[in-house]
Amino acid sequence: MKFFADTSDLNDIKDLASTGLLDGVTTNPTLIAKSGREFLPLIAEICKIVEGPVSAEVAATDFETMMKEGEKLAEIAPNIAVKVPLTEAGLKVCKELSDNDVMVNVTLCFSAGQAILAAKAGATFISPFVGRLDDIGQDGMQLIEDIVTIYDNYSFGTEVLVASIRHPMHIIDSARIGADVVTCPPDVIRKLYKHPLTDKGLAAFVEDWKKTGQSIL
Ligand code: G3P
């Protein structure tokens, strides 16, 4: 399972990259607005820190402008994945860009039917939003299960990138289902390290080691 960071915060990206566990980054217009930074130079910086795919989203909604934006974003670095919305125009852009060997992340997916269309349009990644479905009383993880099954049935090459992740159980459930990628807010990744019994056990080991009076180095 690949771990992407769903953030445009450079400090978080550098910190997670230093663990060796970070496989990519996803951004969206909301995260860019939050950063207060210029979009294109910020994405270029992220692409230098992270070797894996870095998703950068188009801003327009019409085919022609999305195409131009997508081509411009793709020029930033070879590891750019152009992010397009799951609309008819967005999927046309997806088809054109993927035919030209540009990675495409199709975002704002909320149904299995939409995911089928994205795979047929040659998407590199499909981004179903589990948290936003949970928010309206629907079962986000059920959608992941459905998409993974459907993609397996037809051997679609599109990777299932679970987005809108809110807590560690979303990551664990995604892994149980066999989703390819999770994109997570940095703090949710950090929560995976934590367990109270680990903290308690370590404190006891440290105390007991002191009693031995020894040193390894
Ligand atoms: O980047 C897309 C997605 O991960 C957004 O998550 O928390 O705004 O629903 P959220």
Side-chain angles (χ1 to χ4, degrees), residues 6 26-28 30-31 57 83 107 127 129 131-132 135 162-166 183 185:
D6 198 23
T26 54
T27 65
N28 63 35
T30 306
L31 293 169
E57 189 159 342
K83 210 170 172 187
T107 189
S127 290
F129 281 30
R132 291 192 196 183
D135 287 346
V162 184
S164 188
I165 280 188
R166 302 279 163 76
T183 189

Side-chain angles (χ1 to χ4, degrees), residues 138-159:
Q138 293 187 14
D139 187 349
M141 294 317 301
Q142 182 59 56
L143 175 61
I144 303 307
E145 218 170 308
D146 290 346
I147 298 173
V148 167
T149 302
I150 291 166
Y151 281 11
D152 282 353
N153 286 347
Y154 293 95
S155 303
F156 282 131
T158 301
E159 293 188 40

